Amino acid sequence: MDCLFCKIIAGEIPSAKVYEDEEVYAFKDISPVAPVHILIVPKKHYASVMEVDDPSIIGHIFEVIQKLAKEFDVCEDGFRIVNNCGDNGCQSVKHVHFHLVGGRQLEAKMG
Ligand code: AMP
Ligand code: ZN
């Protein structure tokens, strides 16, 4: 499978890992938009949220997000979770992932 994030999960491409368990891998975004910018991904390859056939993985990812938000100390001031889906959503890597972004005041504008 020619997928950047599958290669990162497999250790074939280096990453700054911040969390790993049997189902989930999390690492620092290579091009951070804020002091905290972490990508949380399922180890199983799904091209986008529209392919996810096991909703429990999404719940588990959000458990990991809670844990990382505490660890990276963004709970009190707040943060943003982003999932880009498809071309209009500007998804550039076709392996479903959630961005955890925080550590500064973010823009109100979403679009
Ligand atoms: P998206 O645009 O939602 O698909 O997000 C893809 C994200 O992956 C972008 O924020 C990129 O900066 C990030 N990214 C691309 N290549 C790497 C890499 N090798 N290691 C870590 N993050 C990456
Ligand atoms: Zn993949």
Side-chain angles (χ1 to χ4, degrees):
M1 166 94 56
D2 190 23
C3 168
L4 174 63
F5 287 176
C6 281
K7 287 178 183 161
I8 284 177
I9 293 160
E12 291 163 18
I13 291 175
S15 67
K17 179 173 86 172
V18 295
Y19 178 85
E20 179 175 19
D21 64 28
E22 280 186 7
E23 294 170 322
V24 172
Y25 192 88
F27 54 105
K28 292 189 181 175
D29 197 291
I30 203 166
S31 181
V33 298
V36 176
H37 189 168
I38 296 167
L39 300 175
I40 303 96
V41 309
K43 286 188 171 175
K44 184 172 173 188
H45 179 91
Y46 298 104
S48 80
V49 283
M50 293 311 295
E51 273 197 3
V52 175
D53 53 8
D54 172 14
S56 72
I57 188 64
I58 302 297
H60 182 44
I61 283 172
F62 274 73
E63 283 179 336
V64 173
I65 287 171
Q66 286 181 335
K67 177 184 148 48
L68 291 171
K70 288 177 193 157
E71 194 177 320
F72 285 84
D73 200 25
V74 294
C75 292
E76 211 169 301
D77 291 337
F79 56 89
R80 184 171 286 157
I81 300 162
V82 175
N83 169 257
N84 296 325
C85 182
D87 292 340
N88 276 6
C90 299
Q91 181 184 2
S92 62
V93 178
K94 306 298 193 236
H95 180 130
V96 68
H97 53 280
F98 292 83
H99 300 250
L100 167 57
V101 179
R104 68 165 169 83
Q105 178 64 59
L106 302 172
E107 307 295 326
K109 195 168 185 293
M110 280 290 293

